Amino acid sequence: MTTTTSGQQVKFIQYHQPALESGEYHIKVEQTISDTKGRIPDGVSYSKELIFSVIGERFEPLTPQDIYAVFPPPESLGDHSNVLPHITVNRSTLPWERYPGQSDENLTWLVLLLFRDSDFEDDNDKPKLKTITLGELVAGESGVKFPSYVLDGVGQTAEEQTAVFDIKKKYVADILPTKADIAYISHVRKAEDLTVSEDATPEEAEEEKEFATVVCSRLPQPNGTSYVHLVSVEGRYKDDGTFDFQGAGDEDLIRFVSLANWSFSCVDPKQTFSEILKNLNRTPSTPRLPVNENSTAEKSLAMGYVPLSHSLREGSQTVSWYHGPLATGFHSDTYEFPAKAADELLRYDPELGLFDTSYAAAWQLGRMLTLQNSTIATSLYNWKRAFSQRLKQLENILIHLPLTPKQSAAPIDLPLYVFKWFRDLELLKGIPFNYLVPDEKLLPSESIRFFCVDSLWVDCLQDGAFSIGRVTGADVTEDSVTRSSNSGLTRSDDQKLTGIIMRSQVVAGWPGLLVDGYDTAVADADSIDETEGNLLPLLRMEKLAKDVLICIFKGEVKTVDIHQKPEAMHSGVDPFGIDDTEITKDLRNAQGELIVGSQISVPWNNFDTRLINFVQLAENMKTWFNSSSGGGGSVDNFTSAQFGLQMMEGVQKVRFVKEE
């Protein structure tokens, strides 16, 4: 099954079995030799036996590198009450490397258990993780039910540690999926970029790797906190499909190995991905302070200036204007570089009697950042001296051509990492946040702002970076010649840079955001195509803080789409109505598009615990597709791949259009 979104095609695959199952393997090679001339006895055999073990995950908790994503995000606060939590792992074979029963039936041995605050009579009954050794795990504990396991050969030792929790049977018996349900809780997703060519780089090909997803069959607690554990159920289901509680009573403790865990809360329905973005502060649309009644001051404020304290060289204090590189529009100001010092770039506003320190601050910042990076500073200084000497050699050759001894006058290349330093400065990389956003009112909490990169500010920044070793007037002259002879050290004159900066819990709560920028202002969320707006190259996308994201595009961005990666799609049911006892699910076609009039009811395994009956739900889906209303199709084998596609809740996208 496949679905296409945002230039990518996502394939849903039922399972991905490993090439070799976990366990101990014996390889024996035997060779029998016979000699017709009788020089050696007939039937002499020579043999060699090798033993090796394949050790997959079993008891060791998953590392952050093992986990691609979880949903809902850990510690997030949102309207997740109709979402089925899931975990996506980087190794696509992981859920099928062991068995939930006694034989391989292509079923996952990993199950997500969701606990709610309301499940427990006492806080002491809530599952609490503890670390024990594998030796203690297999030895068992009095009063705690856990299967008898044998450690895997060479790869597992009794001293290794694992994370477990013990919980009373009465709290877990009604939330465990049946073995029949397990057939639908796990599948493989493969995201394929439709624009990647056959000669794609390894980095581009990496985007097409497979991921395995395990889905929980229980809905979270509305207006409360839910706790999710990825637990091993290896060998814990009996042949009749029920979980083996080993004769435990309701008050007896059942032990589970937890390979991963997280929690989230469902509180405010306005805290979903799209609702948070739709309610972002967008006024004003550019980074500037609120409108001021003073018309003279308003001229500066409209350009993004803020008043800041300024210590003058003689020790007195004043207030001066400053604006960062995130400008409210394009400026035509220029300056004849190089500058001798930062003070040369100070400006004075006679109407308000204030200095403008913006470009002087940018120049001084570029100088300080480069001096702070000793490798860049030393390499740049040595290259400038060598380049200047080589220019003088060339002059001597031209002036005294017949008398000049033969010597090399080839140009000296600047190290690539120094060129990269200047390119990074052009994209504002490494700039302290208070230089970018000097006042919190420019970017309040839960806000988004469009900006233009001030080209003169960048010029000053780069000239300050290039000023290493600039002391005398002769140094200024040499720098002018040296820098003009090397285009990689200056900003691209024909390159307009624009972008957005956003401060929102979406940045922190939804990792892996995608941002697309277009050069046409189009409000309709689905109307942009190649004829209406060109997709602009995204030169930089980076988190400046936990909740702050900056994106810089090549060109003038007027429309921005913010959405999640296709593989970040999650499973769930339709949003609840007034009565949440009857929940429904809209179905999709093979391309992942919702089908009008396809709504079916979602059956319960246990209504009180909100545990969904995946087997019956899959049967309801199959029945609908085989009916006349489903298009008269025929679905004989409804697997976890088809089920995963149907349970998918599409990637949400929110569009922002710059105000003119």
Side-chain angles (χ1 to χ4, degrees):
M1 302 296 290
T2 63
T3 179
T4 303
T5 179
S6 302
Q8 287 191 321
Q9 177 173 274
V10 180
K11 290 185 176 180
F12 289 75
I13 305 168
Q14 182 180 1
Y15 56 81
H16 185 179
Q17 285 280 11
L20 287 176
E21 297 175 354
S22 297
E24 188 173 273
Y25 289 81
H26 295 245
I27 298 178
K28 185 176 182 180
V29 178
E30 187 174 80
Q31 186 178 33
T32 301
I33 300 177
S34 61
D35 185 359
T36 57
K37 296 184 178 181
R39 288 171 294 186
I40 59 175
D42 288 338
V44 174
S45 298
Y46 300 89
S47 63
K48 179 71 174 179
E49 185 173 1
L50 296 176
I51 301 175
F52 68 93
S53 294
V54 176
I55 307 299
E57 304 292 344
R58 194 180 192 188
F59 302 121
E60 185 177 355
L62 301 182
T63 67
Q65 291 71 35
D66 298 322
I67 301 172
Y68 180 77
V70 300
F71 193 90
E75 308 300 328
S76 63
L77 177 68
D79 184 22
H80 306 309
S81 55
N82 68 319
V83 168
L84 293 175
H86 79 247
I87 183 169
T88 300
V89 294
N90 285 308
R91 193 163 79 240
S92 62
T93 62
L94 179 59
W96 299 277
E97 292 175 3
R98 299 184 186 275
Y99 319 144
Q102 305 307 312
S103 60
D104 188 358
E105 302 173 85
N106 296 324
L107 301 179
T108 176
W109 64 287
L110 299 175
V111 168
L112 285 176
L113 293 183
L114 182 146
F115 301 100
R116 301 167 158 193
D117 276 334
S118 59
D119 288 340
F120 305 98
E121 300 168 0
D122 189 288
D123 284 347
N124 293 326
D125 290 335
K126 293 181 180 179
K128 297 177 179 63
L129 281 177
K130 59 181 179 181
T131 301
I132 63 174
T133 66
L134 296 188
E136 294 171 324
L137 180 69
V138 298
E141 183 177 338
S142 177
V144 179
K145 302 296 184 180
F146 190 74
S148 297
Y149 286 126
V150 177
L151 298 183
D152 289 338
V154 180
Q156 293 176 346
T157 63
E159 292 75 26
E160 293 182 30
Q161 294 184 328
T162 185
V164 301
F165 65 86
D166 302 327
I167 188 169
K168 293 180 179 180
K169 176 188 174 183
K170 65 180 180 181
Y171 294 130
V172 74
D174 292 332
I175 66 172
L176 276 165
T178 66
K179 190 177 179 182
D181 286 328
I182 287 180
Y184 297 101
I185 69 173
S186 194
H187 60 267
V188 175
R189 297 179 188 177
K190 183 177 182 180
E192 297 181 340
D193 191 339
L194 302 181
T195 64
V196 174
S197 61
E198 294 182 357
D199 57 348
T201 64
E203 291 76 13
E204 293 171 327
E206 177 72 10
E207 294 298 319
E208 298 194 1
K209 69 177 291 187
E210 295 179 347
F211 303 90
T213 297
V214 180
V215 180
C216 182
S217 57
R218 189 186 186 196
L219 292 172
Q221 177 178 341
N223 300 315
T225 301
S226 297
Y227 309 87
V228 185
H229 287 267
L230 180 70
V231 301
S232 164
V233 292
E234 179 189 359
R236 302 192 74 169
Y237 280 86
K238 297 185 289 187
D239 291 339
D240 63 3
T242 60
F243 189 85
D244 186 2
F245 287 104
Q246 300 172 273
D250 284 347
E251 297 296 323
D252 290 333
L253 293 175
I254 311 298
R255 174 163 290 177
F256 289 94
V257 174
S258 178
L259 281 73
N261 69 93
W262 76 98
S263 65
F264 59 90
S265 299
C266 304
V267 177
D268 189 350
K270 294 184 178 179
Q271 294 297 309
T272 62
F273 176 84
S274 58
E275 287 301 316
I276 294 174
L277 289 177
K278 289 176 182 178
N279 288 286
L280 287 183
N281 179 327
R282 287 168 278 176
T283 305
S285 62
T286 55
R288 56 149 296 168
L289 293 179
V291 176
N292 193 284
E293 295 181 358
N294 185 316
S295 59
T296 305
E298 175 59 22
K299 292 179 182 178
S300 297
L301 296 177
M303 298 172 64
Y305 281 94
V306 297
L308 295 177
S309 299
H310 182 192
S311 299
L312 300 177
R313 288 193 181 277
E314 69 275 10
S316 60
Q317 298 287 324
T318 185
V319 174
S320 297
W321 287 123
Y322 171 80
H323 74 73
L326 311 184
T328 59
F330 292 110
H331 303 308
S332 58
D333 297 349
T334 59
Y335 185 85
E336 191 66 32
F337 292 103
K340 297 177 182 178
D343 286 354
E344 194 173 286
L345 296 166
L346 282 173
R347 298 182 176 188
Y348 185 71
D349 185 346
E351 291 187 72
L352 292 176
L354 299 178
F355 281 106
D356 177 358
T357 63
S358 306
Y359 299 123
W363 192 92
Q364 190 65 29
L365 176 63
R367 184 177 176 87
M368 291 189 298
L369 289 176
T370 305
L371 286 172
Q372 187 181 44
N373 190 324
S374 58
T375 301
I376 297 293
T378 302
S379 298
L380 179 60
Y381 177 80
N382 291 336
W383 176 82
K384 286 170 64 175
R385 299 280 76 82
F387 189 87
S388 177
Q389 292 171 5
R390 190 58 51 88
L391 285 179
K392 290 175 181 174
Q393 291 176 3
L394 290 172
E395 290 177 2
N396 289 333
I397 291 174
L398 293 174
I399 296 174
H400 309 289
L401 189 58
L403 305 176
T404 303
K406 292 184 178 180
Q407 55 182 311
S408 173
I412 301 175
D413 293 331
L414 182 65
L416 291 177
Y417 56 83
V418 179
F419 276 116
K420 185 178 183 302
W421 175 258
F422 280 84
R423 293 282 66 77
D424 287 348
L425 290 178
E426 184 175 359
L427 297 178
L428 308 179
K429 293 185 179 180
I431 307 301
F433 186 72
N434 59 323
Y435 278 81
L436 297 174
V437 184
D439 191 303
E440 186 179 7
K441 298 185 186 68
L442 297 176
L443 188 67
S445 179
E446 299 303 322
S447 66
I448 185 171
R449 299 290 186 262
F450 285 81
F451 64 81
C452 303
V453 177
D454 186 342
S455 57
L456 182 55
W457 202 99
V458 173
D459 288 340
C460 294
L461 180 74
Q462 291 183 326
D463 187 62
F466 196 72
S467 68
I468 303 302
R470 188 185 301 167
V471 179
T472 66
D475 293 331
V476 174
T477 302
E478 288 182 358
D479 274 6
S480 178
V481 175
T482 302
R483 196 169 177 215
S484 62
S485 303
N486 294 271
S487 58
L489 297 171
T490 58
R491 178 183 56 83
S492 305
D493 293 335
D494 60 344
Q495 181 165 284
K496 282 186 176 181
L497 301 182
T498 60
I500 61 163
I501 185 167
M502 178 171 66
R503 181 182 176 192
S504 171
Q505 60 182 300
V506 164
V507 178
W510 280 267
L513 290 178
L514 295 178
V515 180
D516 300 322
Y518 302 88
D519 63 1
T520 303
V522 180
D524 186 348
D526 298 315
S527 66
I528 276 191
D529 56 30
E530 294 181 357
T531 62
E532 294 178 304
N534 294 322
L535 183 66
L536 297 176
L538 179 59
L539 302 180
R540 181 190 178 194
M541 179 176 173
E542 186 176 349
K543 288 174 66 172
L544 303 179
K546 181 180 179 181
D547 61 344
V548 178
L549 178 73
I550 188 171
C551 298
I552 297 179
F553 300 92
K554 181 179 181 180
E556 187 173 359
V557 65
K558 295 182 179 179
T559 301
V560 167
D561 288 339
I562 301 177
H563 53 101
Q564 302 170 64
K565 289 184 177 180
E567 54 268 33
M569 296 180 295
H570 59 275
S571 298
V573 296
D574 297 340
F576 297 155
I578 298 176
D579 181 9
D580 66 353
T581 61
E582 292 292 334
I583 58 174
T584 59
K585 181 64 181 176
D586 288 324
L587 303 182
R588 300 175 179 273
N589 61 22
Q591 287 70 46
E593 301 164 339
L594 287 173
I595 305 172
V596 178
S598 63
Q599 195 174 77
I600 63 171
S601 62
V602 176
W604 300 106
N605 256 341
N606 189 311
F607 171 75
D608 293 333
T609 61
R610 293 298 196 272
L611 187 69
I612 294 176
N613 187 329
F614 274 12
V615 174
Q616 186 59 52
L617 180 56
E619 187 62 32
N620 292 352
M621 293 175 178
K622 178 180 176 181
T623 299
W624 189 90
F625 279 107
N626 287 338
S627 67
S628 57
S629 58
S634 177
V635 179
D636 296 325
N637 185 23
F638 200 83
T639 69
S640 61
Q642 287 97 330
F643 187 77
L645 173 63
Q646 295 306 324
M647 295 305 294
M648 179 188 69
E649 292 292 305
V651 173
Q652 302 177 67
K653 179 177 71 174
V654 178
R655 170 161 294 172
F656 297 93
V657 180
K658 182 180 180 182
E659 296 179 3
E660 296 297 336

